[in-house]
Amino acid sequence: MTGSSEDVATVFDADNHYWETSDAFTRYRSPRFADRGVLIKEVDGRMRYVIRGELHPWIPGPADVNPRPRPGALLDYFSGASDSIDSALMAEDPKEHPEWFNRDARIAVMDAQGVEAVWMFPSQGVCMEGPMQPDVEAVIDIFHAFNRWIDDEWGFAHKDRIFAAPYVTLSDLDSAIGELEWVIDRGARVVALRPGPVFTPEGWKSPADTAFDPFWARVDEARLVVAAHPGFDDGYRDVEDAIARSWGYESRRRHGPVSSLNFYEPYVDAVMHDRLIHDFMVAVVAHGLFERHPHLHFASIENGAGWVPNAIAALRRFQRATRSALTSDPVEQFREHVWVTPFISDTVPALLEYMPVERILFGSDWPHAEGLADPKQYFDYLTTLSVDDRRKVMRDNARELTFP
C-alpha cells in the first residue's frame, strides 16, 4: 500500500541516508593515521573495514564495492510480504544506484518521491566511533576527514534540500569546537552526535558535563539541530557485558559469526534495546544542559519512540528525588527541547499523550532495508491524525527546525 495525501504535496524526511564510498574515511585522512582508525583491506576477496586489527563486526565493507540491501527489504520480511531475507539484504548492485552516492541523482529521486528536503545521515559512519575508542587522536582525524568527504560529495545544505549532517565527537573539547566552527562556516544546519556517554582520556563523562559548555554554547548560538542517531558500540559496552554476565551469559555478543542482525544475545538485545537513547536524553535534561543553553534543539533520529514514556517517568522520579536540582520542570524541558522520529511500529496517536505533535518528525530511513521503500508510505500510519497534524509531522516541524 502506498501512502498519499492530497493535503501535503511534499514531505520533509528527517531520516534519509547515503551509502559511503571506499574513500569516505580515507580521502582526507592525515598520513599520520594511515595505520590507525578506519582501514580498508581486502579479506577473502572482499574489501572490508578493519579497526584496531579486527574486522568491523557489523559492517561488511564500503558500500560502493559490496552488494547492498533493497530499500524496505526488512520491512517486507517482518510484515510477511516476503519469505526471504538473505537474498534481499544482498540484492542490489551499487553501480545501478547512483542516487545512493550522488547528490544530483538523489535530488531527481526525491522529486519523484515527493520529498522536498532531507536530513541525511551516514549509513556506516555512525558505526565507527565506538570501535575506534580509546584512540581519541584517530577518532578526531578520521571524522574530520569524513566530514570533508561529506562536504565534497553531499554538502551540508545542498540547494537547501539535502542537509547532510557532519559527525562530531566530544572526546576532545578543543577539536570538537574547531570542527563545529568548520561545519558552521560551510552551512551546516544539523550535526550528528553519538547518543551515549562521552569517552575522554580522563574517562567517561556525560555529554551535559559543564566541561563541554563552550561547545554547547556555540551550538546554541548557531541554532543547530543536534541529531542523536544510533550507531554501534556507543558507550555501553561494559554495561551490556555486565547485564549479560548477571543473567548467565558469557558476554553481550553471540558466539560464532555475527552481523548487525544477530550480534547480541537475544536477551541482552531485548532488555537493552532502548536503554541508551533513554539514558542519554534523561542525562542531558537532568544534568542541566537545557537550562544552561536554552536554545538547544535535540532530535532523536532512528531510535523510535518506545523509550519516551519511560524517559518521562524517569525525569519525574528525578524531580521528586532532587527537587532543587533544576529550576524548572524537567518533563517540560524535555518536551520543549527534544524532537522524536517514531518508527512505523510506534503508534503516533499514543505518543501524543506524552509529546506535543510539534515535536514529532517523520523519518523514512530510506534507502535502508529496515526503512520504507517509498517515504510517503508513512502517511499510512497517520490516518487518524488531522490534516494539520499530518502536515506538521510530515513536513512543517522539520522545516521549522531547519530554518529557525
Side-chain angles (χ1 to χ4, degrees), residues 177-209:
I177 293 172
E179 194 70 9
L180 185 64
E181 294 291 355
W182 188 86
V183 302
I184 289 171
D185 287 346
R186 284 156 181 80
R189 297 301 317 140
V190 184
V191 294
L193 186 77
R194 184 173 74 166
V198 179
F199 181 86
T200 75
E202 296 79 35
W204 294 101
K205 293 183 179 180
S206 165
D209 190 296

Side-chain angles (χ1 to χ4, degrees), residues 70 73 76-88:
R70 174 173 51 81
D76 289 346
Y77 175 78
F78 289 120
S79 69
S82 171
D83 294 329
S84 173
I85 188 171
D86 292 336
S87 61

Side-chain angles (χ1 to χ4, degrees), residues 31-191:
R32 287 181 54 214
F33 297 94
D35 297 318
R36 291 164 62 184
V38 180
L39 308 181
I40 314 294
K41 293 185 177 182
E42 184 174 345
V43 179
D44 296 331
R46 296 174 60 191
M47 301 308 294
R48 300 291 304 273
Y49 290 122
V50 177
I51 299 177
R52 301 176 67 198
E54 295 185 357
L55 294 177
H56 197 293
W58 266 31
I59 302 173
D64 57 338
V65 293
N66 283 282
R68 294 289 83 206
R70 174 173 51 81
L74 285 176
L75 184 63
D76 289 346
Y77 175 78
F78 289 120
S79 69
S82 171
D83 294 329
S84 173
I85 188 171
D86 292 336
S87 61
L89 294 179
M90 303 289 283
E92 301 298 314
D93 182 347
K95 295 183 179 64
E96 297 177 359
H97 293 278
E99 71 276 9
W100 295 351
F101 306 99
N102 178 275
R103 61 191 183 186
D104 293 324
R106 175 61 67 89
I107 283 181
V109 171
M110 290 165 57
D111 289 341
Q113 293 172 332
V115 177
E116 68 174 50
V118 298
W119 292 350
M120 191 169 287
F121 295 98
S123 294
Q124 301 175 332
V126 293
C127 297
M128 297 300 184
E129 182 178 2
M132 280 193 283
Q133 299 291 9
D135 192 347
V136 171
E137 289 184 334
V139 168
I140 293 167
D141 183 78
I142 286 293
F143 280 112
H144 180 57
F146 182 50
N147 288 337
R148 291 176 70 184
W149 175 87
I150 296 172
D151 192 32
D152 274 1
E153 299 299 326
W154 293 97
F156 300 138
H158 181 58
K159 296 184 177 180
D160 274 351
R161 295 192 64 187
I162 294 177
F163 298 92
Y167 188 100
V168 179
T169 173
L170 286 173
S171 288
D172 179 84
L173 178 61
D174 290 341
S175 296
I177 293 172
E179 194 70 9
L180 185 64
E181 294 291 355
W182 188 86
V183 302
I184 289 171
D185 287 346
R186 284 156 181 80
R189 297 301 317 140
V190 184
V191 294

Side-chain angles (χ1 to χ4, degrees), residues 59-354:
I59 302 173
D64 57 338
V65 293
N66 283 282
R68 294 289 83 206
R70 174 173 51 81
L74 285 176
L75 184 63
D76 289 346
Y77 175 78
F78 289 120
S79 69
S82 171
D83 294 329
S84 173
I85 188 171
D86 292 336
S87 61
L89 294 179
M90 303 289 283
E92 301 298 314
D93 182 347
K95 295 183 179 64
E96 297 177 359
H97 293 278
E99 71 276 9
W100 295 351
F101 306 99
N102 178 275
R103 61 191 183 186
D104 293 324
R106 175 61 67 89
I107 283 181
V109 171
M110 290 165 57
D111 289 341
Q113 293 172 332
V115 177
E116 68 174 50
V118 298
W119 292 350
M120 191 169 287
F121 295 98
S123 294
Q124 301 175 332
V126 293
C127 297
M128 297 300 184
E129 182 178 2
M132 280 193 283
Q133 299 291 9
D135 192 347
V136 171
E137 289 184 334
V139 168
I140 293 167
D141 183 78
I142 286 293
F143 280 112
H144 180 57
F146 182 50
N147 288 337
R148 291 176 70 184
W149 175 87
I150 296 172
D151 192 32
D152 274 1
E153 299 299 326
W154 293 97
F156 300 138
H158 181 58
K159 296 184 177 180
D160 274 351
R161 295 192 64 187
I162 294 177
F163 298 92
Y167 188 100
V168 179
T169 173
L170 286 173
S171 288
D172 179 84
L173 178 61
D174 290 341
S175 296
I177 293 172
E179 194 70 9
L180 185 64
E181 294 291 355
W182 188 86
V183 302
I184 289 171
D185 287 346
R186 284 156 181 80
R189 297 301 317 140
V190 184
V191 294
L193 186 77
R194 184 173 74 166
V198 179
F199 181 86
T200 75
E202 296 79 35
W204 294 101
K205 293 183 179 180
S206 165
D209 190 296
T210 56
F212 301 119
D213 273 356
F215 174 88
W216 294 120
R218 186 67 181 102
V219 173
D220 183 301
E221 180 184 35
R223 300 296 192 269
L224 297 180
V225 179
V226 178
H229 191 296
F232 172 74
D233 226 358
D234 284 333
Y236 264 13
R237 185 187 309 171
D238 293 341
V239 177
E240 291 162 351
D241 279 337
I243 292 291
R245 289 192 294 270
S246 296
W247 293 99
Y249 301 93
E250 291 185 14
S251 76
R252 61 184 182 150
R253 185 170 179 169
R254 298 182 79 169
H255 290 290
V258 296
S259 71
S260 59
L261 297 179
N262 69 352
F263 179 86
Y264 291 100
E265 284 287 354
Y267 174 80
V268 177
D269 180 61
V271 299
M272 293 296 294
H273 188 73
D274 291 330
R275 178 73 178 269
L276 192 58
I277 186 61
H278 167 281
D279 293 3
F280 174 81
M281 288 300 186
V282 170
V284 295
V285 177
H287 296 164
L289 187 64
F290 298 138
E291 292 198 337
R292 300 194 305 273
H293 307 285
H295 301 109
L296 289 179
H297 294 156
F298 274 51
S300 170
I301 304 297
E302 208 173 321
N303 293 293
W307 56 275
V308 170
N310 286 338
I312 287 176
L315 288 170
R316 287 184 174 136
R317 287 194 297 272
F318 177 80
Q319 183 182 30
R320 290 194 298 270
T322 59
R323 297 190 182 277
S324 61
L326 299 174
T327 60
S328 62
D329 184 343
V331 173
E332 293 309 309
Q333 289 188 42
F334 177 85
R335 289 172 173 154
E336 179 182 354
H337 293 276
V338 176
W339 280 252
V340 175
T341 53
F343 293 141
I344 60 170
S345 56
D346 296 314
T347 304
V348 173
L351 179 60
L352 292 175
E353 297 179 15
Y354 300 93

